[in-house]
Amino acid sequence: MNSKSAKQLPHEKRKGEAALSDFAEYVEQQQALRFPLSRAPATSSAAHHSATAKSAQAAADHEHHDELDDILDSLDLSDPAPRVRLREFLLSPESSTDALEGLSEIIQKRLLEGHGETVFDVGVEDNGDSMKLTRDEWDTAYKRVIDAAKKLGADCQLLLTKNVGGELDGAPTKDKDCSGKVMVRQAPSTVEEVIETRIAVVGNVDAGKSSMLGVLVKGDLDDGRGKARVNLFRHKHELETGRTSSVGMEIMGFDTKGEVVVSDTPGRKLSWEEIGKRSGKVITFSDLAGHERYLRTTVFGLLSSSPNYCLLMVAANNGLIGMSKEHLGIALALNVPVMVVITKIDICPPQILEQTVNQITRILKSPGARKIPIFIKNREECINTATQFVSQRICPIFQVSNVTGENLDLVRSFLNILPHHGRYDAEAPFEFHVNDTFSVPHVGTVVSGIVKSGVIHAGDDVQIGPDSLGRFTQTSIRSIERKRIGVPMASAGQSASFALRRIRRKDVRKGMVVLAKLDGAPPKVYREFVAEVLILSHATTIKTKYQAMLHVGPVSQTCAIIDVDRPFIRTGDRATVAFRFVQRPEYLAPGDRLLFREGRTKGLGIVKSVGYDPSQPLMAKQGDEGTAPLPQTATEESKGAEVMADA
């Protein structure tokens, strides 16, 4: 991510890359303070996330070996009760109702951890030991899993088998033990229980992002001239140029048996309502612009949509060029797991494709990314990688063609198994970030966005703000929609749209927040805040009075640096910096991720505290870690902008 005004020297670039990966780990720890009650997305990563959260808490409070405690807890050393082995539940006689009940309880627990779905390893104990199943025992065990899942209102899909035989069988093992992976997905009783995964699609212009989504969603192949992407465009100039300039939204549904929800009529595209009602899991794609001219829109889309994953598209005949590196850097800075899709392999000469593959491998293994590239070429690699993708180090890479359809089935299988990833707290106070605003006839003002924490119901009283003076307006939720389907409630981690009562569209904007109405003092917001930042690339030095465009979630506003904990900062430096919003105060909380840019991305950071006291400059506080949020400034600009509760 080089500056346009001056080229970085090689040693400066290496310094920036090395600092990026270290800073990303620090940001992940601070995120645990923002949402401390979050539950890990899958069994395989529960220990990892729990350890991360506890180590962050230890840094904030007292030095305590929580990670060691977590490991000891997972070993159940203090549990005196003998544990029944999974094999006994799976192979018990059919008349044994206790065994079926016990297996149902185990599956239900895993479904809760996986937010409604889980991949069950039949033939493998919880500790990883093989059950040494014969072919007949495997059939019995698989049937028992299906029976237990039915008892919970869930369906099973056989993903992969070992030594069983059939088209789903992977490479045989030496021990000849039979085993298999089964996707168990609960049928949602209501629309609001549908599993939702958000994926941001990024890449350079002409990488084939919109065409790829059109092919995945509709099921029809492209004709090589942009036929598949037509339905994704929102504006006339996009149709004329073939280039996305806005944040396009598209959804793809999977039913409880893992099949893609498509129309029975060839060529007909299902509406969002039809997909939502027939799906057990929905993938929401944010189709972002690839052209440099629309970088602000792309950065807004990446931060405001809170993506669970990032899909980086690379044209095989062009390689990782232009804005692709910029988008990859932003995704790495936000700690979003990245998967790469190399498109247009049908028109690319083999030697050029090999150059592209080598380039992507080199960049992913660089000190700034520290990813392990895994090229997925068959179903077995696809299944194994998808179940382990919660690891931040893995980066799956697909090579596809939207015209011939080559390897598109692997991408669909991967998306179907993709585990839920993200940190959300449904028990915290309600907080909703506004990404877009609408005025709908006969409905009124509608705001759409992401529920960051808490739960909200239709009819609840809420407050929306801040306005230019930092004030909040009282309103109530008229109705709630998810994927254009009316629902009675929305909870943390879900995207939703709210129709608001007694409020005009001109009074709401992107970047506002909707909070639960509380008795007592209104929320406080500040024009100033203090953040820990990392400078990714800058040709010269950054000092006070430096201005840049700052992005924090859906908030996009020009900010000025009013204080730094050292005389100046350069590429690769980490520093504590005080910012001031130029136009108006915004709602921020400690732990929010931020990104600032001047043209291309210059740096990233995380909010440490809100408010700033000029009588206590940061230079004097250098090295004072873990301080309480600083008091509010008494400057003239902040007097009318006291808005936001200390988190």
Side-chain angles (χ1 to χ4, degrees):
M1 291 185 286
N2 297 340
S3 172
K4 293 180 72 175
S5 56
K7 196 168 179 67
Q8 275 183 278
L9 295 173
H11 72 274
E12 290 180 329
K13 189 175 179 182
R14 285 194 297 272
K15 183 181 177 184
E17 286 181 349
L20 172 60
S21 55
D22 292 338
F23 189 77
E25 292 177 3
Y26 168 76
V27 168
E28 194 64 27
Q29 290 182 345
Q30 295 302 309
Q31 283 282 291
L33 299 177
R34 181 84 166 87
F35 302 105
L37 295 177
S38 61
R39 197 165 50 203
T43 310
S44 60
S45 61
H48 167 75
H49 280 283
S50 178
T52 305
K54 290 187 176 184
S55 60
Q57 189 62 45
D61 301 331
H62 305 286
E63 188 176 355
H64 183 64
H65 299 292
D66 279 336
E67 291 191 47
L68 181 59
D69 291 349
D70 187 62
I71 294 169
L72 293 173
D73 288 344
S74 66
L75 293 174
D76 282 336
L77 296 179
S78 60
D79 187 6
R83 299 184 65 177
V84 180
R85 293 176 66 208
L86 205 52
R87 178 188 169 97
E88 295 176 26
F89 284 133
L90 292 171
L91 299 179
S92 60
E94 285 192 30
S95 57
S96 175
T97 55
D98 290 344
L100 192 61
E101 285 287 341
L103 185 59
S104 296
E105 286 178 14
I106 292 172
I107 293 177
Q108 187 169 31
K109 185 179 177 183
R110 294 190 186 183
L111 287 173
L112 283 171
E113 291 174 343
H115 300 270
E117 64 180 12
T118 183
V119 175
F120 195 93
D121 277 314
V122 181
V124 180
E125 292 285 355
D126 286 339
N127 60 3
D129 291 344
S130 172
M131 295 182 187
K132 302 190 183 300
L133 298 179
T134 62
R135 181 68 173 80
D136 292 339
E137 288 175 334
W138 151 258
D139 290 337
T140 302
Y142 179 46
K143 184 177 181 303
R144 189 57 50 86
V145 170
I146 294 175
D147 292 341
K150 277 185 181 175
K151 198 175 173 65
L152 300 170
D155 285 322
C156 292
Q157 177 196 7
L158 187 59
L159 301 174
L160 182 73
T161 58
K162 288 281 187 181
N163 306 313
V164 174
E167 59 180 14
L168 296 178
D169 219 34
T173 56
K174 292 180 180 178
D175 52 24
K176 302 298 181 184
D177 295 340
C178 294
S179 64
K181 293 181 183 291
V182 181
M183 165 64 78
V184 183
R185 180 172 293 151
Q186 205 150 22
S189 54
T190 54
V191 176
E192 60 262 31
E193 291 182 9
V194 173
I195 304 162
E196 180 188 7
T197 297
R198 290 184 296 278
I199 299 178
V201 184
V202 297
N204 197 47
V205 65
D206 300 331
K209 298 183 293 297
S210 300
S211 296
M212 171 87 171
L213 292 186
V215 170
L216 283 176
V217 172
K218 282 187 65 179
D220 299 334
L221 296 175
D222 191 30
D223 62 352
R225 293 185 295 277
K227 171 188 171 187
R229 69 188 180 200
V230 171
N231 289 322
L232 273 72
F233 290 149
R234 300 171 64 185
H235 303 289
K236 182 172 179 281
H237 67 266
E238 292 181 329
L239 287 168
E240 291 169 350
T241 63
R243 288 178 176 173
T244 305
S245 64
S246 59
V247 180
M249 301 295 290
E250 201 53 69
I251 69 170
M252 178 181 184
F254 293 94
D255 61 22
T256 53
K257 294 182 179 177
E259 299 295 327
V260 180
V261 177
V262 291
S263 172
D264 299 328
T265 308
R268 178 178 174 265
K269 183 185 171 190
L270 291 178
S271 67
W272 283 30
E273 295 93 327
E274 290 173 306
I275 293 174
K277 288 175 180 175
R278 289 167 54 179
S279 300
K281 177 178 187 173
V282 168
I283 308 285
T284 304
F285 295 102
S286 298
D287 184 19
L288 303 178
H291 199 281
E292 185 172 3
R293 183 186 305 167
Y294 309 118
L295 178 61
R296 175 177 176 173
T297 304
T298 300
V299 172
F300 170 81
L302 259 174
L303 273 79
S304 64
S305 62
S306 297
N308 305 117
Y309 298 96
C310 185
L311 181 60
L312 177 65
M313 307 284 281
V314 180
N317 52 350
N318 290 334
L320 208 57
I321 60 169
M323 299 309 293
S324 297
K325 294 179 181 178
E326 185 82 8
H327 296 160
L328 175 61
I330 295 170
L332 294 172
L334 296 174
N335 277 14
V336 180
V338 179
M339 52 185 131
V340 178
V341 173
I342 302 173
T343 60
K344 304 184 183 181
I345 61 171
D346 56 307
I347 61 169
C348 183
Q351 69 272 20
I352 302 297
L353 176 61
E354 187 179 354
Q355 288 177 17
T356 300
V357 167
N358 291 338
Q359 179 202 24
I360 292 172
T361 303
R362 188 176 67 253
I363 289 174
L364 289 175
K365 287 182 176 180
S366 68
R370 290 202 302 192
K371 298 283 185 184
I372 303 168
I374 297 178
F375 289 87
I376 295 177
K377 296 174 182 173
N378 57 53
R379 183 178 175 84
E380 184 175 358
E381 291 174 351
C382 175
I383 306 297
N384 291 333
T385 307
T387 52
Q388 298 299 321
F389 193 34
V390 285
S391 167
Q392 294 281 352
R393 288 282 171 259
I394 292 176
C395 181
I397 301 174
F398 299 87
Q399 299 177 42
V400 306
S401 167
N402 296 324
V403 176
T404 65
E406 185 178 350
N407 290 337
L408 280 173
D409 56 331
L410 294 180
V411 177
R412 290 192 183 97
S413 298
F414 190 87
L415 294 173
N416 174 40
I417 310 164
L418 212 52
H420 185 84
H421 172 81
R423 181 178 278 120
Y424 303 102
D425 184 4
E427 297 176 20
F430 174 70
E431 183 181 325
F432 174 86
H433 290 211
V434 177
N435 295 348
D436 215 342
T437 63
F438 310 91
S439 184
V440 180
H442 312 296
V443 176
T445 302
V446 174
V447 295
S448 68
I450 309 292
V451 182
K452 284 292 184 182
S453 61
V455 178
I456 195 72
H457 298 81
D460 285 357
D461 291 330
V462 293
Q463 49 191 341
I464 184 169
D467 60 14
S468 58
L469 296 177
R471 297 174 303 197
F472 279 72
T473 305
Q474 307 296 324
T475 181
S476 62
I477 307 289
R478 184 195 299 269
S479 60
I480 303 174
E481 282 194 0
R482 286 192 62 217
K483 304 290 173 279
R484 302 176 188 169
I485 303 173
V487 294
M489 59 168 284
S491 59
Q494 296 178 344
S495 55
S497 299
F498 300 153
L500 303 177
R501 297 181 189 274
R502 305 181 303 278
I503 201 161
R504 294 174 295 183
R505 186 190 174 184
K506 68 175 187 177
D507 295 329
V508 296
R509 59 174 172 80
K510 297 176 183 179
M512 280 186 165
V513 293
V514 179
L515 304 174
K517 185 179 178 183
L518 300 173
D519 297 330
K524 290 183 179 180
V525 292
Y526 299 99
R527 194 183 282 268
E528 293 93 355
F529 65 93
V530 177
E532 174 110 358
V533 300
L534 168 68
I535 308 303
L536 292 179
S537 66
H538 192 66
T540 57
T541 59
I542 293 177
K543 303 178 182 178
T544 54
K545 299 184 180 178
Y546 169 83
Q547 290 194 358
M549 176 62 72
L550 191 96
H551 299 269
V552 189
V555 173
S556 299
Q557 195 184 145
T558 305
C559 264
I561 291 179
I562 56 175
D563 194 7
V564 191
D565 66 355
R566 63 197 70 178
F568 56 84
I569 45 179
R570 290 180 173 166
T571 299
D573 286 351
R574 275 177 66 171
T576 304
V577 176
F579 289 94
R580 173 182 290 139
F581 287 116
V582 171
Q583 291 175 282
R584 57 181 171 264
E586 298 283 6
Y587 182 95
L588 300 180
D592 283 340
R593 295 173 180 173
L594 62 90
L595 183 146
F596 59 92
R597 59 180 188 82
E598 179 195 6
R600 294 208 179 181
T601 308
K602 295 298 179 188
L604 56 113
I606 188 163
V607 178
K608 292 187 72 177
S609 60
V610 290
Y612 170 73
D613 186 355
S615 65
Q616 297 181 336
L618 297 177
M619 194 85 76
K621 288 175 164 277
Q622 189 175 6
D624 184 15
E625 290 291 327
T627 55
L630 298 174
Q632 176 196 358
T633 178
T635 59
E636 203 59 41
E637 291 164 307
S638 292
K639 282 183 180 175
E642 302 182 352
V643 188
M644 160 177 176
D646 293 342

PDB file of all heavy atoms in Angstrom, residues 463-467 470-474 513-515 522-525 587 643-644:
ATOM      1  N   GLN A 463     -33.596   5.354  20.856  1.00  0.00           N
ATOM      2  CA  GLN A 463     -33.109   6.706  20.563  1.00  0.00           C
ATOM      3  C   GLN A 463     -32.054   6.606  19.478  1.00  0.00           C
ATOM      4  O   GLN A 463     -31.246   5.673  19.461  1.00  0.00           O
ATOM      5  CB  GLN A 463     -32.553   7.376  21.812  1.00  0.00           C
ATOM      6  CG  GLN A 463     -31.577   6.535  22.609  1.00  0.00           C
ATOM      7  CD  GLN A 463     -31.270   7.128  23.973  1.00  0.00           C
ATOM      8  OE1 GLN A 463     -31.489   8.303  24.203  1.00  0.00           O
ATOM      9  NE2 GLN A 463     -30.743   6.306  24.862  1.00  0.00           N
ATOM     10  N   ILE A 464     -32.087   7.579  18.545  1.00  0.00           N
ATOM     11  CA  ILE A 464     -31.157   7.568  17.417  1.00  0.00           C
ATOM     12  C   ILE A 464     -30.359   8.867  17.407  1.00  0.00           C
ATOM     13  O   ILE A 464     -30.883   9.935  17.696  1.00  0.00           O
ATOM     14  CB  ILE A 464     -31.909   7.349  16.085  1.00  0.00           C
ATOM     15  CG1 ILE A 464     -30.924   7.228  14.928  1.00  0.00           C
ATOM     16  CG2 ILE A 464     -32.940   8.450  15.834  1.00  0.00           C
ATOM     17  CD1 ILE A 464     -31.558   6.749  13.634  1.00  0.00           C
ATOM     18  N   GLY A 465     -29.080   8.783  17.095  1.00  0.00           N
ATOM     19  CA  GLY A 465     -28.218   9.960  17.079  1.00  0.00           C
ATOM     20  C   GLY A 465     -26.783   9.532  16.838  1.00  0.00           C
ATOM     21  O   GLY A 465     -26.514   8.374  16.522  1.00  0.00           O
ATOM     22  N   PRO A 466     -25.823  10.434  17.015  1.00  0.00           N
ATOM     23  CA  PRO A 466     -26.002  11.840  17.383  1.00  0.00           C
ATOM     24  C   PRO A 466     -26.212  12.740  16.170  1.00  0.00           C
ATOM     25  O   PRO A 466     -25.760  12.417  15.071  1.00  0.00           O
ATOM     26  CB  PRO A 466     -24.662  12.166  18.051  1.00  0.00           C
ATOM     27  CG  PRO A 466     -23.682  11.279  17.346  1.00  0.00           C
ATOM     28  CD  PRO A 466     -24.416  10.022  16.981  1.00  0.00           C
ATOM     29  N   ASP A 467     -26.903  13.881  16.384  1.00  0.00           N
ATOM     30  CA  ASP A 467     -27.018  14.883  15.334  1.00  0.00           C
ATOM     31  C   ASP A 467     -25.786  15.790  15.377  1.00  0.00           C
ATOM     32  O   ASP A 467     -24.810  15.488  16.075  1.00  0.00           O
ATOM     33  CB  ASP A 467     -28.319  15.666  15.477  1.00  0.00           C
ATOM     34  CG  ASP A 467     -28.422  16.390  16.818  1.00  0.00           C
ATOM     35  OD1 ASP A 467     -27.390  16.503  17.524  1.00  0.00           O
ATOM     36  OD2 ASP A 467     -29.536  16.833  17.173  1.00  0.00           O
ATOM     37  N   GLY A 470     -24.713  16.605  18.776  1.00  0.00           N
ATOM     38  CA  GLY A 470     -24.451  15.495  19.696  1.00  0.00           C
ATOM     39  C   GLY A 470     -25.673  15.027  20.452  1.00  0.00           C
ATOM     40  O   GLY A 470     -25.541  14.299  21.436  1.00  0.00           O
ATOM     41  N   ARG A 471     -26.872  15.419  19.986  1.00  0.00           N
ATOM     42  CA  ARG A 471     -28.089  15.029  20.705  1.00  0.00           C
ATOM     43  C   ARG A 471     -28.723  13.796  20.082  1.00  0.00           C
ATOM     44  O   ARG A 471     -28.548  13.527  18.898  1.00  0.00           O
ATOM     45  CB  ARG A 471     -29.090  16.188  20.701  1.00  0.00           C
ATOM     46  CG  ARG A 471     -28.595  17.428  21.422  1.00  0.00           C
ATOM     47  CD  ARG A 471     -29.547  18.581  21.265  1.00  0.00           C
ATOM     48  NE  ARG A 471     -29.788  18.888  19.871  1.00  0.00           N
ATOM     49  CZ  ARG A 471     -30.312  20.050  19.438  1.00  0.00           C
ATOM     50  NH1 ARG A 471     -30.635  20.983  20.312  1.00  0.00           N
ATOM     51  NH2 ARG A 471     -30.512  20.265  18.145  1.00  0.00           N
ATOM     52  N   PHE A 472     -29.510  13.085  20.892  1.00  0.00           N
ATOM     53  CA  PHE A 472     -30.236  11.901  20.434  1.00  0.00           C
ATOM     54  C   PHE A 472     -31.726  12.210  20.364  1.00  0.00           C
ATOM     55  O   PHE A 472     -32.251  12.967  21.190  1.00  0.00           O
ATOM     56  CB  PHE A 472     -29.983  10.720  21.375  1.00  0.00           C
ATOM     57  CG  PHE A 472     -28.679  10.019  21.113  1.00  0.00           C
ATOM     58  CD1 PHE A 472     -27.470  10.614  21.442  1.00  0.00           C
ATOM     59  CD2 PHE A 472     -28.652   8.764  20.529  1.00  0.00           C
ATOM     60  CE1 PHE A 472     -26.265   9.989  21.198  1.00  0.00           C
ATOM     61  CE2 PHE A 472     -27.449   8.115  20.275  1.00  0.00           C
ATOM     62  CZ  PHE A 472     -26.256   8.726  20.615  1.00  0.00           C
ATOM     63  N   THR A 473     -32.401  11.614  19.388  1.00  0.00           N
ATOM     64  CA  THR A 473     -33.839  11.805  19.191  1.00  0.00           C
ATOM     65  C   THR A 473     -34.579  10.551  19.639  1.00  0.00           C
ATOM     66  O   THR A 473     -34.189   9.431  19.283  1.00  0.00           O
ATOM     67  CB  THR A 473     -34.141  12.072  17.701  1.00  0.00           C
ATOM     68  OG1 THR A 473     -33.351  13.178  17.261  1.00  0.00           O
ATOM     69  CG2 THR A 473     -35.615  12.362  17.494  1.00  0.00           C
ATOM     70  N   GLN A 474     -35.650  10.735  20.413  1.00  0.00           N
ATOM     71  CA  GLN A 474     -36.452   9.605  20.889  1.00  0.00           C
ATOM     72  C   GLN A 474     -37.388   9.139  19.775  1.00  0.00           C
ATOM     73  O   GLN A 474     -38.024   9.948  19.103  1.00  0.00           O
ATOM     74  CB  GLN A 474     -37.281  10.007  22.116  1.00  0.00           C
ATOM     75  CG  GLN A 474     -36.483  10.630  23.246  1.00  0.00           C
ATOM     76  CD  GLN A 474     -35.478   9.650  23.834  1.00  0.00           C
ATOM     77  OE1 GLN A 474     -35.741   8.463  23.941  1.00  0.00           O
ATOM     78  NE2 GLN A 474     -34.314  10.159  24.222  1.00  0.00           N
ATOM     79  N   VAL A 513     -26.177   5.803  15.403  1.00  0.00           N
ATOM     80  CA  VAL A 513     -26.444   4.569  16.140  1.00  0.00           C
ATOM     81  C   VAL A 513     -27.850   4.627  16.719  1.00  0.00           C
ATOM     82  O   VAL A 513     -28.359   5.705  17.025  1.00  0.00           O
ATOM     83  CB  VAL A 513     -25.421   4.326  17.271  1.00  0.00           C
ATOM     84  CG1 VAL A 513     -24.056   4.049  16.712  1.00  0.00           C
ATOM     85  CG2 VAL A 513     -25.381   5.489  18.236  1.00  0.00           C
ATOM     86  N   VAL A 514     -28.452   3.458  16.834  1.00  0.00           N
ATOM     87  CA  VAL A 514     -29.745   3.323  17.510  1.00  0.00           C
ATOM     88  C   VAL A 514     -29.480   2.598  18.818  1.00  0.00           C
ATOM     89  O   VAL A 514     -28.918   1.495  18.824  1.00  0.00           O
ATOM     90  CB  VAL A 514     -30.751   2.542  16.643  1.00  0.00           C
ATOM     91  CG1 VAL A 514     -32.087   2.394  17.375  1.00  0.00           C
ATOM     92  CG2 VAL A 514     -30.957   3.223  15.301  1.00  0.00           C
ATOM     93  N   LEU A 515     -29.867   3.206  19.930  1.00  0.00           N
ATOM     94  CA  LEU A 515     -29.632   2.646  21.256  1.00  0.00           C
ATOM     95  C   LEU A 515     -30.955   2.447  21.973  1.00  0.00           C
ATOM     96  O   LEU A 515     -31.957   3.101  21.660  1.00  0.00           O
ATOM     97  CB  LEU A 515     -28.735   3.575  22.088  1.00  0.00           C
ATOM     98  CG  LEU A 515     -27.380   3.955  21.493  1.00  0.00           C
ATOM     99  CD1 LEU A 515     -26.701   4.993  22.363  1.00  0.00           C
ATOM    100  CD2 LEU A 515     -26.504   2.735  21.333  1.00  0.00           C
ATOM    101  N   PRO A 522     -29.020  11.185  28.986  1.00  0.00           N
ATOM    102  CA  PRO A 522     -28.853  10.662  27.626  1.00  0.00           C
ATOM    103  C   PRO A 522     -27.428  10.188  27.405  1.00  0.00           C
ATOM    104  O   PRO A 522     -26.515  10.544  28.155  1.00  0.00           O
ATOM    105  CB  PRO A 522     -29.172  11.883  26.747  1.00  0.00           C
ATOM    106  CG  PRO A 522     -28.876  13.060  27.614  1.00  0.00           C
ATOM    107  CD  PRO A 522     -29.199  12.644  29.014  1.00  0.00           C
ATOM    108  N   PRO A 523     -27.182   9.389  26.371  1.00  0.00           N
ATOM    109  CA  PRO A 523     -25.810   8.929  26.098  1.00  0.00           C
ATOM    110  C   PRO A 523     -24.908  10.118  25.798  1.00  0.00           C
ATOM    111  O   PRO A 523     -25.365  11.153  25.307  1.00  0.00           O
ATOM    112  CB  PRO A 523     -25.956   8.039  24.863  1.00  0.00           C
ATOM    113  CG  PRO A 523     -27.395   7.896  24.610  1.00  0.00           C
ATOM    114  CD  PRO A 523     -28.133   8.917  25.384  1.00  0.00           C
ATOM    115  N   LYS A 524     -23.640   9.960  26.074  1.00  0.00           N
ATOM    116  CA  LYS A 524     -22.668  11.021  25.808  1.00  0.00           C
ATOM    117  C   LYS A 524     -21.830  10.660  24.586  1.00  0.00           C
ATOM    118  O   LYS A 524     -21.441   9.519  24.413  1.00  0.00           O
ATOM    119  CB  LYS A 524     -21.739  11.204  27.012  1.00  0.00           C
ATOM    120  CG  LYS A 524     -22.408  11.803  28.229  1.00  0.00           C
ATOM    121  CD  LYS A 524     -21.380  12.008  29.323  1.00  0.00           C
ATOM    122  CE  LYS A 524     -22.032  12.636  30.562  1.00  0.00           C
ATOM    123  NZ  LYS A 524     -21.036  12.840  31.632  1.00  0.00           N
ATOM    124  N   VAL A 525     -21.567  11.673  23.761  1.00  0.00           N
ATOM    125  CA  VAL A 525     -20.601  11.487  22.679  1.00  0.00           C
ATOM    126  C   VAL A 525     -19.588  12.610  22.753  1.00  0.00           C
ATOM    127  O   VAL A 525     -19.848  13.659  23.349  1.00  0.00           O
ATOM    128  CB  VAL A 525     -21.253  11.485  21.275  1.00  0.00           C
ATOM    129  CG1 VAL A 525     -22.105  10.277  21.066  1.00  0.00           C
ATOM    130  CG2 VAL A 525     -22.027  12.753  21.050  1.00  0.00           C
ATOM    131  N   TYR A 587     -20.581   8.755  17.848  1.00  0.00           N
ATOM    132  CA  TYR A 587     -20.692   7.762  18.921  1.00  0.00           C
ATOM    133  C   TYR A 587     -19.595   6.720  18.740  1.00  0.00           C
ATOM    134  O   TYR A 587     -19.594   5.957  17.775  1.00  0.00           O
ATOM    135  CB  TYR A 587     -22.071   7.106  18.883  1.00  0.00           C
ATOM    136  CG  TYR A 587     -22.312   6.092  19.980  1.00  0.00           C
ATOM    137  CD1 TYR A 587     -22.956   6.461  21.154  1.00  0.00           C
ATOM    138  CD2 TYR A 587     -21.905   4.775  19.844  1.00  0.00           C
ATOM    139  CE1 TYR A 587     -23.182   5.535  22.165  1.00  0.00           C
ATOM    140  CE2 TYR A 587     -22.115   3.844  20.850  1.00  0.00           C
ATOM    141  CZ  TYR A 587     -22.756   4.240  22.006  1.00  0.00           C
ATOM    142  OH  TYR A 587     -22.977   3.328  23.013  1.00  0.00           O
ATOM    143  N   VAL A 643     -21.768  13.573  24.311  1.00  0.00           N
ATOM    144  CA  VAL A 643     -22.769  12.546  24.016  1.00  0.00           C
ATOM    145  C   VAL A 643     -22.313  11.147  24.324  1.00  0.00           C
ATOM    146  O   VAL A 643     -22.299  10.643  23.725  1.00  0.00           O
ATOM    147  CB  VAL A 643     -23.206  12.595  22.578  1.00  0.00           C
ATOM    148  CG1 VAL A 643     -24.355  11.699  22.293  1.00  0.00           C
ATOM    149  CG2 VAL A 643     -23.450  13.986  22.130  1.00  0.00           C
ATOM    150  N   MET A 644     -21.898  10.364  24.949  1.00  0.00           N
ATOM    151  CA  MET A 644     -21.667   8.923  24.824  1.00  0.00           C
ATOM    152  C   MET A 644     -21.143   8.344  26.103  1.00  0.00           C
ATOM    153  O   MET A 644     -20.212   8.835  26.644  1.00  0.00           O
ATOM    154  CB  MET A 644     -20.696   8.654  23.707  1.00  0.00           C
ATOM    155  CG  MET A 644     -20.096   7.363  23.832  1.00  0.00           C
ATOM    156  SD  MET A 644     -19.013   6.965  22.522  1.00  0.00           S
ATOM    157  CE  MET A 644     -18.521   5.499  23.198  1.00  0.00           C
TER     158      MET A 644
END
